[in-house]
Amino acid sequence: MIASDAVIWNAPNDPHPARAASQRSYSAVARGDLAGWLSVYAEDAVLEDPVGSSMFDPEGKGHRGHEGLTAFWRSAIAPVAKFEFTIDDSFANPGSNTCANIGKIKASLADGSHATTDLIMVYVVDDHGRVTSMKAYWEPNRTMASFRAA
């Protein structure tokens, strides 16, 4: 399911629909593939990244549907030149539609400056394996404290 060298998976990798969807999502982001990323998500999906109010979602209500996800992509993903994902653990009980991944995302700008986000990402999928909810738990202040200029 991982289709990018920018995704390092150090976690359990048993087949699971939510885990597979998370891997497809990370791979699409790493490739800069908006259409591929949207195809991972149901039409009515809700993305909270991070959960709560933030610079990407001042009201803290999440980004809803493909229109909301596209707006999130343009503000949070598109400006980044390179993403590197390291997933260190993944919890997905057999028979459930949810997984929680623990890891880091390094986001580098074109000038080489970068920041790393430590986070927990929770994915819920529908019966077709498309994400209906994604919640990323991380603290923007901690990410900004990791910023390193080029």
Side-chain angles (χ1 to χ4, degrees):
M1 294 299 166
I2 297 172
S4 171
D5 292 339
V7 181
I8 298 169
W9 195 268
N10 299 322
N13 202 19
D14 301 340
H16 188 280
R19 182 177 286 141
S22 74
Q23 293 171 339
R24 289 192 311 271
S25 176
Y26 304 146
S27 294
V29 169
R31 291 190 317 270
D33 180 2
L34 172 58
W37 185 67
L38 289 174
S39 74
V40 175
Y41 288 83
E43 295 292 330
D44 60 349
V46 178
L47 179 138
E48 297 176 68
D49 188 355
V51 171
S53 62
S54 72
M55 63 287 231
F56 304 123
D57 181 13
E59 294 181 14
K61 295 181 179 180
H63 306 275
R64 299 178 180 281
H66 282 196
E67 184 177 326
L69 271 66
T70 298
F72 173 79
W73 178 283
R74 289 184 179 138
S75 66
I77 297 172
V80 175
K82 180 180 180 184
F83 283 97
E84 298 170 77
F85 296 84
T86 303
I87 305 303
D88 293 316
D89 216 342
S90 179
F91 300 90
N93 289 335
S96 74
N97 66 342
T98 304
C99 82
N101 298 330
I102 300 172
K104 299 175 186 295
I105 302 172
K106 181 179 178 183
S108 299
L109 301 177
D111 68 359
S113 59
H114 59 85
T116 300
T117 302
D118 295 295
L119 71 170
I120 299 170
M121 298 158 283
V122 179
Y123 290 81
V124 179
V125 297
D126 62 19
D127 291 340
H128 304 288
R130 294 181 75 196
V131 176
T132 58
S133 171
M134 195 289 270
K135 293 183 178 184
Y137 296 89
W138 59 279
E139 296 175 14
N141 290 341
R142 288 173 59 176
T143 296
M144 294 311 295
S146 78
F147 180 79
R148 299 295 176 260

